[in-house]
Amino acid sequence: MSPGETAPSVPYMTTGVAGSFPAGLGSNPGHPVPLGFVFRSRAKDEKAAVADKASLTDSKQPRDPQAKKGRPTPKRSEAQSQRRSVANTSMTRKDASKRQREERRAALDRQRQALAGGDERYLPARDKGPVRKFARDWIDSRYNVAEFFLPMAVIILVLSVVRVGALQSIALLLWLVVIVLIVLDAIVSTFRLRKALAERFPDQNTKGATRYALMRSLQMRRLRLPKPQVKRGERP
Protein backbone atom coordinates (compact mmCIF):
# COMPACT_ATOMS: atom_id res chain seq x y z
CA MET A 1 0.00 0.00 0.00
CA SER A 2 1.50 3.35 -1.13
CA PRO A 3 2.02 6.24 1.24
CA GLY A 4 -0.71 8.31 -0.32
CA GLU A 5 -3.41 5.70 -0.08
CA THR A 6 -5.55 5.24 2.96
CA ALA A 7 -6.50 1.89 4.44
CA PRO A 8 -10.00 0.80 3.56
CA SER A 9 -12.38 0.90 6.44
CA VAL A 10 -13.35 -2.58 7.66
CA PRO A 11 -16.39 -2.80 9.83
CA TYR A 12 -15.77 -4.27 13.25
CA MET A 13 -17.39 -7.67 13.90
CA THR A 14 -18.77 -7.82 17.33
CA THR A 15 -19.38 -10.95 19.35
CA GLY A 16 -20.11 -11.61 22.94
CA VAL A 17 -22.74 -9.86 24.97
CA ALA A 18 -24.97 -7.63 22.79
CA GLY A 19 -22.07 -6.94 20.39
CA SER A 20 -20.21 -4.68 22.80
CA PHE A 21 -16.72 -6.08 22.15
CA PRO A 22 -14.91 -5.82 18.81
CA ALA A 23 -13.86 -9.00 17.13
CA GLY A 24 -10.20 -8.07 17.11
CA LEU A 25 -9.87 -7.21 20.78
CA GLY A 26 -10.43 -10.71 22.20
CA SER A 27 -7.78 -13.29 22.94
CA ASN A 28 -9.50 -15.74 20.58
CA PRO A 29 -11.03 -13.64 17.76
CA GLY A 30 -11.68 -16.67 15.53
CA HIS A 31 -14.13 -18.37 17.88
CA PRO A 32 -17.00 -16.17 18.91
CA VAL A 33 -18.75 -17.00 22.20
CA PRO A 34 -22.49 -17.78 21.77
CA LEU A 35 -24.97 -15.90 23.88
CA GLY A 36 -26.74 -19.01 25.10
CA PHE A 37 -23.60 -20.32 26.79
CA VAL A 38 -23.30 -17.19 28.92
CA PHE A 39 -26.89 -17.23 30.21
CA ARG A 40 -27.28 -21.04 30.57
CA SER A 41 -28.01 -22.44 34.04
CA ARG A 42 -25.26 -24.71 35.30
CA ALA A 43 -27.49 -26.24 38.01
CA LYS A 44 -29.91 -27.66 35.41
CA ASP A 45 -27.02 -29.13 33.42
CA GLU A 46 -25.57 -30.83 36.50
CA LYS A 47 -28.96 -32.27 37.51
CA ALA A 48 -29.60 -33.59 34.01
CA ALA A 49 -26.15 -35.20 33.88
CA VAL A 50 -26.64 -36.88 37.27
CA ALA A 51 -30.07 -38.20 36.24
CA ASP A 52 -28.74 -39.59 32.94
CA LYS A 53 -25.86 -41.27 34.75
CA ALA A 54 -28.13 -42.79 37.38
CA SER A 55 -30.58 -44.14 34.81
CA LEU A 56 -27.74 -45.60 32.78
CA THR A 57 -26.23 -47.24 35.85
CA ASP A 58 -29.57 -48.68 36.99
CA SER A 59 -30.37 -50.05 33.56
CA LYS A 60 -26.99 -51.71 33.12
CA GLN A 61 -26.65 -53.08 36.67
CA PRO A 62 -28.15 -56.61 36.94
CA ARG A 63 -30.53 -57.36 39.85
CA ASP A 64 -29.25 -59.61 42.55
CA PRO A 65 -31.49 -62.72 42.66
CA GLN A 66 -31.01 -62.91 46.46
CA ALA A 67 -31.91 -59.27 47.03
CA LYS A 68 -35.01 -58.54 49.12
CA LYS A 69 -38.22 -57.68 47.33
CA GLY A 70 -39.53 -55.41 50.07
CA ARG A 71 -41.97 -58.09 51.36
CA PRO A 72 -41.52 -61.71 52.52
CA THR A 73 -42.45 -64.51 50.16
CA PRO A 74 -45.60 -66.21 51.55
CA LYS A 75 -45.53 -69.92 52.31
CA ARG A 76 -47.52 -72.36 50.22
CA SER A 77 -50.01 -73.05 53.01
CA GLU A 78 -50.51 -69.32 53.61
CA ALA A 79 -51.06 -68.69 49.91
CA GLN A 80 -53.60 -71.52 49.73
CA SER A 81 -55.45 -70.21 52.79
CA GLN A 82 -55.52 -66.73 51.27
CA ARG A 83 -56.93 -68.07 48.01
CA ARG A 84 -59.48 -70.10 49.97
CA SER A 85 -60.51 -67.06 51.98
CA VAL A 86 -60.89 -65.02 48.81
CA ALA A 87 -63.03 -67.77 47.31
CA ASN A 88 -65.24 -67.81 50.42
CA THR A 89 -65.75 -64.06 50.58
CA SER A 90 -69.25 -64.48 49.21
CA MET A 91 -70.31 -66.18 52.50
CA THR A 92 -71.76 -63.73 54.99
CA ARG A 93 -70.72 -63.56 58.61
CA LYS A 94 -74.03 -65.01 59.74
CA ASP A 95 -73.66 -68.02 57.42
CA ALA A 96 -70.06 -68.56 58.56
CA SER A 97 -71.00 -68.53 62.25
CA LYS A 98 -73.89 -70.90 61.59
CA ARG A 99 -71.58 -73.28 59.77
CA GLN A 100 -69.06 -73.17 62.62
CA ARG A 101 -71.79 -73.97 65.16
CA GLU A 102 -72.94 -76.94 63.10
CA GLU A 103 -69.39 -78.28 62.78
CA ARG A 104 -68.81 -77.85 66.53
CA ARG A 105 -72.07 -79.62 67.33
CA ALA A 106 -71.18 -82.50 65.00
CA ALA A 107 -67.73 -82.83 66.61
CA LEU A 108 -69.27 -82.92 70.10
CA ASP A 109 -71.74 -85.59 69.00
CA ARG A 110 -68.94 -87.75 67.61
CA GLN A 111 -66.96 -87.28 70.82
CA ARG A 112 -69.98 -88.20 72.98
CA GLN A 113 -70.55 -91.36 70.96
CA ALA A 114 -66.86 -92.23 71.21
CA LEU A 115 -66.91 -91.80 75.00
CA ALA A 116 -69.90 -94.12 75.19
CA GLY A 117 -68.58 -96.74 72.77
CA GLY A 118 -64.81 -96.40 73.18
CA ASP A 119 -64.02 -95.39 69.59
CA GLU A 120 -60.39 -94.27 69.65
CA ARG A 121 -60.71 -92.02 66.60
CA TYR A 122 -62.92 -89.39 68.25
CA LEU A 123 -61.83 -89.60 71.88
CA PRO A 124 -60.39 -86.49 73.57
CA ALA A 125 -56.61 -86.13 73.55
CA ARG A 126 -56.28 -87.10 77.22
CA ASP A 127 -58.00 -90.47 76.57
CA LYS A 128 -56.28 -91.47 73.35
CA GLY A 129 -53.54 -94.03 72.93
CA PRO A 130 -52.94 -97.66 73.93
CA VAL A 131 -51.29 -96.63 77.21
CA ARG A 132 -54.36 -94.74 78.44
CA LYS A 133 -56.66 -97.53 77.27
CA PHE A 134 -54.68 -100.10 79.23
CA ALA A 135 -54.76 -97.89 82.33
CA ARG A 136 -58.55 -97.54 82.03
CA ASP A 137 -59.05 -101.27 81.58
CA TRP A 138 -56.75 -102.04 84.50
CA ILE A 139 -58.73 -99.81 86.85
CA ASP A 140 -62.11 -101.02 85.53
CA SER A 141 -61.16 -104.67 86.02
CA ARG A 142 -60.80 -104.39 89.82
CA TYR A 143 -62.60 -103.03 92.84
CA ASN A 144 -61.33 -99.70 94.14
CA VAL A 145 -62.03 -98.31 97.60
CA ALA A 146 -62.26 -94.75 96.27
CA GLU A 147 -65.21 -95.55 94.00
CA PHE A 148 -67.34 -96.28 97.08
CA PHE A 149 -66.44 -93.02 98.75
CA LEU A 150 -69.62 -91.18 97.72
CA PRO A 151 -72.15 -93.70 99.17
CA MET A 152 -70.04 -94.13 102.32
CA ALA A 153 -69.86 -90.34 102.73
CA VAL A 154 -73.66 -90.11 102.59
CA ILE A 155 -73.99 -92.76 105.31
CA ILE A 156 -71.38 -91.03 107.50
CA LEU A 157 -73.12 -87.66 107.15
CA VAL A 158 -76.45 -89.16 108.17
CA LEU A 159 -74.86 -90.72 111.27
CA SER A 160 -73.18 -87.47 112.21
CA VAL A 161 -76.47 -85.55 112.02
CA VAL A 162 -78.24 -87.82 114.54
CA ARG A 163 -78.14 -86.38 118.05
CA VAL A 164 -76.65 -89.49 119.59
CA GLY A 165 -73.14 -89.37 120.96
CA ALA A 166 -72.31 -92.99 120.14
CA LEU A 167 -73.43 -92.64 116.51
CA GLN A 168 -71.45 -89.44 116.07
CA SER A 169 -68.35 -91.17 117.43
CA ILE A 170 -68.90 -94.05 114.98
CA ALA A 171 -69.28 -91.55 112.13
CA LEU A 172 -65.99 -89.87 113.03
CA LEU A 173 -64.25 -93.25 113.21
CA LEU A 174 -65.68 -94.24 109.84
CA TRP A 175 -64.31 -91.02 108.29
CA LEU A 176 -60.80 -91.94 109.45
CA VAL A 177 -61.13 -95.55 108.29
CA VAL A 178 -62.37 -94.58 104.85
CA ILE A 179 -59.58 -92.01 104.32
CA VAL A 180 -56.90 -94.48 105.41
CA LEU A 181 -58.28 -97.23 103.15
CA ILE A 182 -58.41 -94.88 100.14
CA VAL A 183 -54.81 -93.79 100.67
CA LEU A 184 -53.53 -97.36 101.10
CA ASP A 185 -55.46 -98.61 98.08
CA ALA A 186 -54.13 -95.73 95.95
CA ILE A 187 -50.53 -96.53 96.97
CA VAL A 188 -50.92 -100.23 96.17
CA SER A 189 -52.65 -99.48 92.85
CA THR A 190 -49.88 -97.05 91.87
CA PHE A 191 -47.09 -99.63 92.34
CA ARG A 192 -48.99 -102.42 90.63
CA LEU A 193 -50.07 -100.31 87.69
CA ARG A 194 -46.57 -98.96 87.12
CA LYS A 195 -45.23 -102.50 87.05
CA ALA A 196 -47.91 -103.59 84.58
CA LEU A 197 -47.25 -100.59 82.32
CA ALA A 198 -43.50 -101.27 82.33
CA GLU A 199 -44.11 -104.87 81.30
CA ARG A 200 -46.69 -104.08 78.62
CA PHE A 201 -45.10 -100.91 77.17
CA PRO A 202 -41.34 -101.07 77.83
CA ASP A 203 -40.40 -98.71 74.97
CA GLN A 204 -43.23 -96.17 75.24
CA ASN A 205 -43.72 -93.08 77.37
CA THR A 206 -46.11 -93.91 80.21
CA LYS A 207 -45.81 -90.60 82.04
CA GLY A 208 -49.14 -89.43 83.46
CA ALA A 209 -50.91 -92.78 82.96
CA THR A 210 -50.83 -93.65 86.67
CA ARG A 211 -52.30 -90.32 87.70
CA TYR A 212 -54.92 -90.68 84.97
CA ALA A 213 -55.91 -94.10 86.33
CA LEU A 214 -56.12 -92.90 89.94
CA MET A 215 -58.42 -90.03 88.97
CA ARG A 216 -60.63 -92.55 87.18
CA SER A 217 -60.74 -94.78 90.27
CA LEU A 218 -62.32 -91.91 92.26
CA GLN A 219 -65.44 -92.09 90.08
CA MET A 220 -68.23 -94.62 90.38
CA ARG A 221 -68.02 -97.30 87.70
CA ARG A 222 -71.30 -96.40 85.99
CA LEU A 223 -70.31 -92.72 85.79
CA ARG A 224 -66.89 -93.23 84.21
CA LEU A 225 -66.14 -91.85 80.74
CA PRO A 226 -65.13 -93.46 78.45
CA LYS A 227 -67.42 -96.28 79.46
CA PRO A 228 -65.71 -99.38 80.92
CA GLN A 229 -64.93 -101.97 78.24
CA VAL A 230 -63.96 -104.86 80.56
CA LYS A 231 -65.76 -106.67 83.37
CA ARG A 232 -64.55 -106.90 86.93
CA GLY A 233 -61.93 -109.58 87.34
CA GLU A 234 -61.16 -109.67 83.60
CA ARG A 235 -57.53 -109.16 82.63
CA PRO A 236 -57.01 -106.08 80.42
Side-chain angles (χ1 to χ4, degrees):
M1 184 174 61
S2 60
E5 294 179 357
T6 59
S9 61
V10 179
Y12 290 102
M13 293 180 61
T14 60
T15 59
V17 182
S20 58
F21 299 99
L25 297 180
S27 59
N28 191 7
H31 301 281
V33 180
L35 295 177
F37 177 78
V38 177
F39 294 100
R40 190 173 183 180
S41 175
R42 296 180 59 188
K44 292 183 179 179
D45 295 341
E46 292 177 357
K47 290 181 181 179
V50 172
D52 295 340
K53 185 177 180 180
S55 61
L56 183 61
T57 304
D58 293 340
S59 61
K60 290 184 178 181
Q61 184 178 2
R63 183 183 179 275
D64 188 2
Q66 297 181 356
K68 295 182 178 180
K69 298 184 295 184
R71 58 181 178 84
T73 302
K75 296 181 180 179
R76 184 175 181 180
S77 59
E78 295 177 356
Q80 291 177 353
S81 63
Q82 290 176 0
R83 289 195 296 269
R84 198 176 297 112
S85 63
V86 172
N88 295 332
T89 51
S90 59
M91 184 182 298
T92 62
R93 182 178 298 179
K94 184 177 180 180
D95 295 338
S97 60
K98 182 179 179 181
R99 183 176 180 181
Q100 290 179 358
R101 286 196 302 270
E102 292 176 354
E103 292 177 354
R104 193 181 304 111
R105 190 180 299 111
L108 290 176
D109 291 339
R110 288 195 300 266
Q111 190 177 97
R112 192 179 301 108
Q113 295 175 3
L115 289 174
D119 192 352
E120 287 283 337
R121 295 176 299 173
Y122 303 110
L123 285 177
R126 66 182 181 88
D127 299 317
K128 283 185 177 180
V131 176
R132 297 299 174 95
K133 185 179 185 306
F134 177 81
R136 290 196 304 270
D137 294 343
W138 192 89
I139 287 294
D140 297 336
S141 64
R142 62 190 299 272
Y143 286 94
N144 304 278
V145 179
E147 66 180 295
F148 300 104
F149 173 77
L150 185 60
M152 286 188 297
V154 173
I155 295 173
I156 294 172
L157 286 175
V158 171
L159 292 176
S160 62
V161 169
V162 178
R163 298 292 183 177
V164 178
L167 293 179
Q168 291 181 351
S169 299
I170 293 174
L172 181 60
L173 181 62
L174 286 176
W175 273 120
L176 295 177
V177 172
V178 169
I179 292 174
V180 171
L181 289 177
I182 291 175
V183 172
L184 291 178
D185 184 65
I187 293 174
V188 174
S189 299
T190 300
F191 281 104
R192 292 180 61 186
L193 180 56
R194 285 180 179 176
K195 183 179 179 180
L197 288 172
E199 293 176 356
R200 182 67 65 90
F201 307 100
D203 299 330
Q204 295 188 25
N205 184 16
T206 59
K207 183 178 180 181
T210 305
R211 183 171 61 254
Y212 170 77
L214 291 179
M215 294 300 297
R216 185 176 177 85
S217 67
L218 295 175
Q219 302 171 352
M220 298 179 67
R221 181 181 174 87
R222 65 179 62 185
L223 300 179
R224 294 173 184 173
L225 291 175
K227 293 292 184 180
Q229 302 295 318
V230 295
K231 297 180 180 181
R232 294 188 189 272
E234 183 181 353
R235 292 191 62 180

